Amino acid sequence: MDRTEAQLKRRLNEDQELNYPDFEQMWGRIEQAGYVSSKGSSHAGAGSRVRHRNWRKVTVAASFSVVLMAVPVYAAVQYDWGSLLDHRSGVEAALSQNLGQPLGQTITKDGVTLTLHTALTDENRTVILYSLDVGPDGGDGKLWNINGMTLKDGPGRSGNQEFNNQQWDEKNKRYNGYFETDWTPDQETAKVSLTAERIQLYSQQEVDLKLDTDSPERQSFPVNRDGLESFSVQPFKEGTDHLMLSTAAIFDDPEAKNWAFPQITAYRGGQLVKNSRAGAMGKPGDNGEYTSVQYYKPADVPKDQTVYKLDYTKLERNIDGPWAFDFELSKKKMAGATIKTALDLPLEAGNTDNRIEQMVVTPTQVRVSVRSKAKPFSELPYVNYSLEVGGRMLEGGLWYSMSEDKELIAVRFERPSDLEITKDTPMTLVGNYKVTRHGDDKKPLQLTNISSEKQTVIRETGGYPVQWTYYMQGEDLYVETRSDDPKFGGVNQTHIGTGKDRIVSKIVSTKFRGDGNNRSIDVYENFKGTEASIYMFFYSTNEPDKETRVQLQGQ
């Protein structure tokens, strides 16, 4: 796989509009099985990142559209999906048991063919497997993507969480695709429509940046092409541990914001330097900027040996839809192997905020539903979850509700093909690495003699020593917090003053639950004065060794 596909896979996968100001809550939603994207978006398969410079245009064929209905059942179910399902053992298990529903529908437009092969639906999810044929050169320095894919029933209802992805199949010279939604039919069968808004071809573009990472000032670079007007970068050094680059892109074509995903890439000796930890992409700025945060280890990007570039995606070709398929979806095959169990169990002893309500076991997946009444918003206290089934451990992912019932959170586990589960099989939910939020510290910290000189105050918070560093940079006041004790999880966000006249900071840095990073950077733009009373919304503490075990069934 070439650099284009690898880059875009990661970008389209991360294209989540962050729920500002709480990055941790947002990332919990992204963590759903490791690949969830926003509704209607898609991403391509992962692979090595190899630089590719020889872009070739695609000759546009005469426009035509045709639907083919009669594809052999065997071919639909037994299609070679390559590595597409490597992390979806439950889907592989259902296919191996011949539980897939053959679809065999094809639409061709402008020389591009989209084919639906197989559907799987049970009480937990609906999956559609498809292929995209763009010609034998589809994987050669190009990336094709399907946008706006959604599944609706007759009344027009769809899932709250939908995503699709595809990866280039070098052997068969086509893309293999996977669509999933949390919507399932209320009855055994339902008439549905799967539609895609458009299919697009992208290329990867680069712009050289003369970036000075030793300067703390924001540096702006004109672009003026492909809908991108300018790009700015502000470096922050976290000692010798991390170099944080806060970026902002301004577009003169608003449509380009939907696919450009501008970010920095760093090269040392011609080799791409990997980010040192997870950042964040796509938080909107006050004036519509596309902002991001990226991290590097300073030792990996020495000033005299590192070249920085702006990397973004350009739309080369667009084939508008709708691409629409109508068919009847059936979960009859799955129903006989589905076990529903009503539960009323605390997630941990003494915890009244989080109770396990239900477990649903299907041929593809195990779903454990937990109702969380935690404040200020629903979330589970543990970062990692696994399911012990008859002595075997399955790793799970959190699915936060996108529906009106915000209290309901699901932990989902892919089911291996060789794992037998009955109503008597011993099953235990295991949670580890506890993170607790605290909103009890309402005492303000007095910042005095505010100037361009960095000043540090040590204040105890929750029994942990926390360093508060503040300074002016230009017209803006920066406030940084950190602790040398890793059990302190960090300060979420700060504000100056209280009541309706309070001034809320903007979060510059990112941190995620359980990542070991407790450093935060807030900024107050256009700050006036030399003193301030600063408050925190809340802080968190970490217990990496804390574990809870809940027996769900069996002895």
Side-chain angles (χ1 to χ4, degrees):
M1 179 182 301
D2 69 18
R3 176 170 172 269
T4 308
E5 187 170 346
Q7 285 271 48
L8 280 171
K9 179 269 173 188
R10 180 168 56 82
R11 293 184 184 189
L12 292 169
N13 186 38
E14 293 176 351
D15 185 26
Q16 300 293 308
E17 190 170 288
L18 305 182
N19 290 336
Y20 185 82
D22 187 10
F23 291 105
E24 295 176 273
Q25 174 84 341
M26 179 281 302
W27 199 256
R29 298 176 189 268
I30 292 180
E31 284 176 342
Q32 303 161 2
Y35 49 73
V36 173
S37 294
S38 57
K39 182 174 179 178
S41 69
S42 64
H43 56 89
S48 62
R49 294 164 56 132
V50 181
R51 301 191 70 186
H52 186 94
R53 298 181 179 276
N54 298 319
W55 305 103
R56 289 186 290 174
K57 303 290 184 177
V58 177
T59 302
V60 180
S63 177
F64 66 94
S65 176
V66 62
V67 178
L68 303 177
M69 303 298 291
V71 175
V73 172
Y74 181 85
V77 177
Q78 300 298 327
Y79 187 87
D80 180 8
W81 297 105
S83 61
L84 180 70
L85 305 179
D86 279 357
H87 300 289
R88 299 174 180 89
S89 59
V91 175
E92 290 184 303
L95 291 176
S96 68
Q97 298 171 60
N98 199 30
L99 296 176
Q101 175 188 341
L103 298 177
Q105 293 192 29
T106 297
I107 294 178
T108 298
K109 291 185 178 182
D110 294 348
V112 172
T113 299
L114 175 60
T115 301
L116 305 189
H117 292 268
T118 307
L120 294 163
T121 185
D122 56 27
E123 293 298 324
N124 286 340
R125 60 181 172 181
T126 297
V127 170
I128 307 293
L129 298 172
Y130 63 87
S131 63
L132 182 67
D133 190 342
V134 297
D137 296 331
D140 185 17
K142 307 177 181 70
L143 179 72
W144 288 84
N145 199 45
I146 301 177
N147 289 321
M149 186 172 275
T150 185
L151 182 72
K152 294 183 178 180
D153 66 0
R157 295 170 298 188
S158 61
N160 293 299
Q161 296 176 349
E162 295 183 322
F163 64 93
N164 63 286
N165 70 301
Q166 57 268 339
Q167 62 178 207
W168 178 249
D169 182 349
E170 181 63 28
K171 177 181 176 181
N172 295 305
K173 300 296 182 182
R174 68 184 67 184
Y175 286 95
N176 293 328
Y178 177 97
F179 169 85
E180 180 172 338
T181 174
D182 61 352
W183 180 88
T184 65
D186 294 330
Q187 307 298 323
E188 280 193 338
T189 62
K191 292 184 178 180
V192 298
S193 177
L194 181 72
T195 60
E197 293 179 3
R198 62 187 62 88
I199 295 178
Q200 295 176 318
L201 171 65
Y202 303 102
S203 65
Q204 206 69 21
Q205 305 292 319
E206 286 184 338
V207 176
D208 291 334
L209 299 178
K210 294 183 179 180
L211 178 63
D212 181 4
T213 55
D214 286 340
S215 171
E217 301 294 330
R218 180 163 290 275
Q219 301 161 53
S220 185
F221 306 92
V223 181
N224 298 317
R225 73 186 201 193
D226 303 323
L228 185 57
E229 181 178 313
S230 63
F231 187 73
S232 62
V233 185
Q234 185 172 14
F236 293 86
K237 288 191 175 181
E238 301 180 12
T240 59
D241 296 329
H242 294 283
L243 167 67
M244 187 184 82
L245 301 178
S246 173
T247 69
I250 297 176
F251 292 85
D252 50 26
D253 178 4
E255 287 294 313
K257 192 181 297 186
N258 296 327
W259 55 73
F261 309 113
Q263 67 171 16
I264 283 180
T265 50
Y267 295 92
R268 181 182 180 185
Q271 299 297 315
L272 185 68
V273 181
K274 293 182 179 180
N275 293 122
S276 59
R277 70 178 185 218
M281 297 180 66
K283 182 173 71 67
D286 288 344
N287 300 308
E289 306 98 323
Y290 179 102
T291 71
S292 299
V293 174
Q294 296 175 242
Y295 293 90
Y296 292 97
K297 289 184 178 179
D300 293 342
V301 286
K303 183 176 180 180
D304 296 335
Q305 302 174 36
T306 306
V307 175
Y308 293 94
K309 296 178 182 290
L310 161 63
D311 204 324
Y312 69 93
T313 305
K314 175 184 178 181
L315 177 65
E316 297 284 0
R317 184 182 173 194
N318 186 78
I319 305 175
D320 282 324
W323 302 65
F325 302 87
D326 297 318
F327 52 93
E328 186 173 81
L329 196 61
S330 173
K331 58 181 179 181
K332 291 180 180 179
K333 290 184 177 181
M334 298 283 201
T338 296
I339 304 172
K340 288 185 178 181
T341 305
L343 301 168
D344 185 16
L345 302 168
L347 182 61
E348 59 181 347
N351 187 328
T352 59
D353 287 337
N354 303 285
R355 296 193 71 83
I356 302 171
E357 284 193 351
Q358 186 187 53
M359 179 174 66
V360 179
V361 179
T362 74
T364 73
Q365 200 176 65
V366 179
R367 183 186 72 209
V368 179
S369 298
V370 185
R371 183 164 298 279
S372 173
K373 296 182 180 295
K375 301 299 180 184
F377 42 74
S378 298
E379 71 174 356
L380 301 188
Y382 291 87
V383 176
N384 307 312
Y385 293 87
S386 55
L387 189 67
E388 186 175 325
V389 185
R392 187 168 175 178
M393 299 299 291
L394 308 180
E395 298 302 318
L398 292 177
W399 290 65
Y400 286 85
S401 175
M402 300 296 181
S403 66
E404 293 181 0
D405 191 353
K406 300 297 184 184
E407 293 182 351
L408 200 61
I409 302 171
V411 190
R412 300 191 180 193
F413 305 87
E414 288 291 319
R415 181 175 174 176
S417 59
D418 60 346
L419 180 62
E420 181 180 355
I421 302 177
T422 69
K423 292 184 178 180
D424 299 320
T425 302
M427 301 178 70
T428 301
L429 180 68
V430 182
N432 58 64
Y433 200 124
K434 187 174 182 178
V435 177
T436 306
R437 295 186 187 270
H438 306 269
D440 53 349
D441 192 335
K442 301 301 182 183
K443 184 180 178 181
L445 176 67
Q446 300 298 325
L447 306 185
T448 60
N449 300 318
I450 297 172
S451 68
S452 59
E453 181 181 352
K454 288 188 177 183
Q455 301 178 68
T456 297
V457 176
I458 306 296
R459 173 184 167 177
E460 186 173 284
T461 301
Y464 299 95
V466 179
Q467 300 176 30
W468 293 72
T469 301
Y470 59 97
Y471 55 93
M472 291 293 294
Q473 189 166 292
E475 301 295 321
D476 305 328
L477 169 63
Y478 285 85
V479 178
E480 301 182 12
T481 58
R482 65 177 298 273
S483 175
D484 290 332
D485 194 323
K487 290 186 177 180
F488 182 76
V491 174
N492 167 261
Q493 190 181 21
T494 62
H495 57 95
I496 294 176
T498 60
K500 64 179 182 179
D501 295 327
R502 72 182 181 184
I503 303 172
V504 179
S505 69
K506 293 181 181 179
I507 297 177
V508 178
S509 59
T510 61
K511 60 181 182 293
F512 308 114
R513 302 178 75 222
D515 69 354
N517 171 35
N518 62 29
R519 186 170 190 259
S520 297
I521 303 176
D522 289 2
V523 61
Y524 295 88
E525 296 180 346
N526 300 313
F527 176 80
K528 307 296 182 183
T530 58
E531 296 186 354
S533 295
I534 191 164
Y535 299 76
M536 70 179 77
F537 283 100
F538 55 84
Y539 66 93
S540 63
T541 54
N542 298 328
E543 297 176 86
D545 299 327
K546 186 79 170 181
E547 180 182 273
T548 184
R549 297 178 64 88
V550 185
Q551 187 81 31
L552 302 180
Q553 71 173 31
Q555 297 297 324

